[in-house]
Amino acid sequence: MNERYSRQERFQPIGKKGQAGIRDAHILIVGAGALGAANAEMLVRAGVGRLTMIDRDYVEISNLHRQHLYSESDAIAKLPKTIAAEKRLKEINSEVIVESVVMDVNGQNIEEHVSGKTIIIDAVDNLETRLIVNDAATKHNIPFIVGACVSSYGLGFPMIPGNGPCLHCLIDHLPAQSETCDTVGVIGPIVQMVAAHQVTASLKFITGKSLPPILHSMDIWKNERAEIHVGMLKNPSCSSCGTDPVFPYLSLENQTKAEVLCGRNTVQIRAGAQRIFQLEDMGKRLAELSCEEIVQNQYLLSCRYDGYRIVLFKDGRALVHGTNDLYKARAVFQRITG
Amino acid sequence: MNVRLNGKSISLPAEIDTVAELIRHYELENRIVIVEIDKNIIEKTLYAETELKEGSEIEMIHFVGGG
Ligand SMILES: [Zn+2]
């Protein structure tokens, strides 16, 4: 018998049978930032059979205080996160099949990566992508273990299709803006705490334990925690998980769309899901993000950020001047709007 | 008024006596928030009219984007 997992198998709720289930599991982690790295390391050490990670970003030096899989050399080489993760994870456990996908998740490309997975782990950095993955998970009937964190605060929710509300039931609209790690920062311990809950939920699901629909949050700095049983928030007519689902976030109309404005070195972005910007709140946020040359009138907000000139319109549109690269423009847009 | 919020006893300023005011007090009015008082989830449309009571057990969870 494999000595490697002996202490985990001795843990009675897992046992040898549970360990076999863990070995048979194929887990998808969407996002290879802080939560992605923490989940991946724990799952690979626990002996999952296969792990697939998707991410669009590369390693930067400002990631290293909380993204434990990565090193200075990865940041210097600007390695894509999933590539750096795969290299490190294979060093940790050569028995696990690790697959990395460098990709910007959207409603058109997520489904092929979701199908056939045992569990999907949420490690994305914005609500819109989270709702895209939620739609794919409900459509393909795969558990989606939600986790998110900023500052010293984090939350978790096991979304099990057919067993309570989906994430769309809980989030009925996309807020005009939300806190991100770029605005209010984040500390390493909350990442580990949220990921610990996600991995525990995954191990419980794999070993056949039930996961009630409990939304929980914690603030590791203030030492606060909250739990709400959200079963009653299941919306029978939810467009993602109700009786007649249309999976809105998998369709183009609800997604942030980007197009190059030819000859202008500019990308226009239109926020999905009828998002509108409260320009006053957004102005404060831009100041927090150290944007420069902020100009605001009743119709739009303009600023300079990270070498780009960005103009945000009240109707949820933005122009990113200084690039023809859709990927870069989207990334800047999401960083600014959360 | 004294209530328990997310497991901690706190004392709220006198003018904070509805769910809507509590959310504003914590600057969560532009966020997605789920509020439970004494084990009942409060519907969003009722935030302004739902009054807090001395000793209420409040659980309040807001969504964030990061990860
Ligand atoms: Zn739903």
Side-chain angles (χ1 to χ4, degrees):
Chain A
M1 192 54 225
N2 200 333
E3 179 69 13
R4 177 164 198 146
Y5 305 110
S6 59
R7 300 305 185 273
Q8 194 163 275
E9 288 170 352
R10 203 167 291 172
F11 177 65
Q12 189 272 329
I14 291 182
K16 282 195 161 37
K17 189 160 164 278
Q19 190 62 44
I22 294 168
R23 192 193 56 227
D24 290 340
H26 185 177
I27 295 185
L28 171 66
I29 302 181
V30 187
L35 285 177
N39 272 284
E41 178 160 355
M42 273 189 272
L43 289 167
V44 160
R45 287 186 189 276
V48 296
R50 291 172 76 126
L51 181 78
T52 301
M53 293 183 89
I54 304 178
D55 194 276
R56 65 179 175 188
D57 215 350
Y58 58 86
V59 180
E60 292 177 277
I61 209 85
S62 65
N63 302 146
L64 301 184
H65 82 285
R66 69 188 188 286
Q67 302 186 14
H68 294 193
L69 286 179
Y70 310 127
S71 64
E72 289 177 4
S73 61
D74 298 327
I76 291 163
K78 289 193 172 13
L79 277 187
K81 286 185 178 175
T82 57
I83 303 294
E86 182 183 332
K87 174 174 65 95
R88 174 67 182 143
L89 292 168
K90 283 175 171 167
E91 284 170 5
I92 291 170
N93 191 341
S94 59
E95 294 172 2
V96 178
I97 300 167
V98 182
E99 296 161 338
S100 57
V101 182
V102 183
M103 180 181 101
D104 188 17
V105 167
N106 63 44
Q108 276 67 56
N109 63 19
I110 186 65
E111 282 188 71
E112 61 174 298
H113 296 285
V114 158
S115 73
K117 302 298 186 292
T118 313
I119 285 176
I120 306 164
I121 303 269
D122 171 15
V124 308
D125 62 1
N126 66 85
L127 284 180
E128 184 178 0
T129 309
R130 207 163 261 133
L131 287 164
I132 291 171
V133 182
N134 176 73
D135 271 10
T138 54
K139 186 172 175 184
H140 292 262
N141 198 26
I142 299 167
F144 179 40
I145 312 298
V146 173
C149 57
V150 292
S151 180
S152 57
Y153 173 86
L155 61 94
F157 174 65
M159 197 289 284
I160 315 291
N163 179 38
C166 78
L167 193 61
H168 194 184
C169 295
L170 304 183
I171 300 180
D172 51 0
H173 69 284
L174 275 175
Q177 59 264 332
S178 62
E179 290 172 333
T180 67
C181 305
D182 288 329
T183 52
V184 293
V186 60
I187 56 171
I190 190 62
V191 172
Q192 299 301 316
M193 195 171 186
V194 171
H197 280 281
Q198 289 177 290
V199 171
T200 306
S202 303
L203 295 177
K204 281 183 165 177
F205 178 81
I206 290 168
T207 54
K209 312 295 182 291
S210 73
L211 292 171
I214 293 175
L215 173 68
H216 67 105
S217 71
M218 58 232 124
D219 189 311
I220 199 167
W221 194 267
K222 296 178 187 161
N223 198 23
E224 288 172 1
R225 49 175 293 120
E227 262 189 20
I228 302 178
H229 192 292
V230 291
M232 67 160 283
L233 295 181
K234 162 98 184 165
N235 174 5
S237 56
C238 171
S239 58
S240 298
C241 74
T243 44
D244 201 8
V246 294
F247 312 110
Y249 286 94
L250 299 179
S251 72
L252 273 173
E253 297 77 64
N254 284 300
Q255 283 174 41
T256 299
K257 284 186 278 289
E259 55 180 319
V260 177
L261 300 185
C262 292
R264 290 185 58 191
N265 197 28
T266 296
V267 174
Q268 172 172 280
I269 296 177
R270 185 178 285 282
Q274 283 89 48
R275 193 175 193 180
I276 54 162
F277 295 128
Q278 310 291 339
L279 293 180
E280 225 162 84
D281 294 341
M282 193 60 87
K284 281 184 213 150
R285 180 187 170 86
L286 295 181
E288 281 170 19
L289 278 167
S290 314
C291 292
E292 292 170 334
E293 300 168 33
I294 301 176
V295 179
Q296 187 178 344
N297 60 37
Q298 66 183 112
Y299 309 106
L300 60 81
L301 187 56
S302 161
C303 73
R304 184 167 290 283
Y305 176 74
D306 205 13
Y308 304 95
R309 170 135 217 102
I310 298 145
V311 183
L312 296 165
F313 296 87
K314 219 174 170 175
D315 65 0
R317 225 158 28 83
L319 294 177
V320 180
H321 300 291
T323 181
N324 282 321
D325 184 329
L326 294 179
Y327 165 81
K328 278 187 192 146
R330 271 179 71 108
V332 168
F333 176 77
Q334 280 179 350
R335 216 176 272 178
I336 281 198
T337 61
Chain B
M1 160 165 34
N2 298 303
V3 297
R4 278 186 78 80
L5 177 64
N6 294 350
K8 271 189 172 172
S9 295
I10 56 158
S11 172
L12 291 171
E15 67 274 16
I16 311 294
D17 60 1
T18 65
V19 172
E21 281 156 11
L22 182 73
I23 288 172
R24 213 167 306 133
H25 184 63
Y26 284 95
E27 297 180 357
L28 296 173
E29 62 269 38
N30 288 323
R31 314 225 184 276
I32 304 283
V33 188
I34 294 176
V35 181
E36 181 193 76
I37 299 181
D38 299 327
K39 296 286 167 207
N40 292 311
I41 295 176
I42 311 299
E43 250 186 70
K44 287 182 175 42
T45 52
L46 302 179
Y47 282 174
E49 61 192 73
T50 303
E51 295 187 350
L52 307 175
K53 295 186 186 68
E54 179 74 25
S56 287
E57 298 258 359
I58 306 166
E59 301 277 284
M60 184 161 74
I61 296 180
H62 68 278
F63 281 89
V64 293

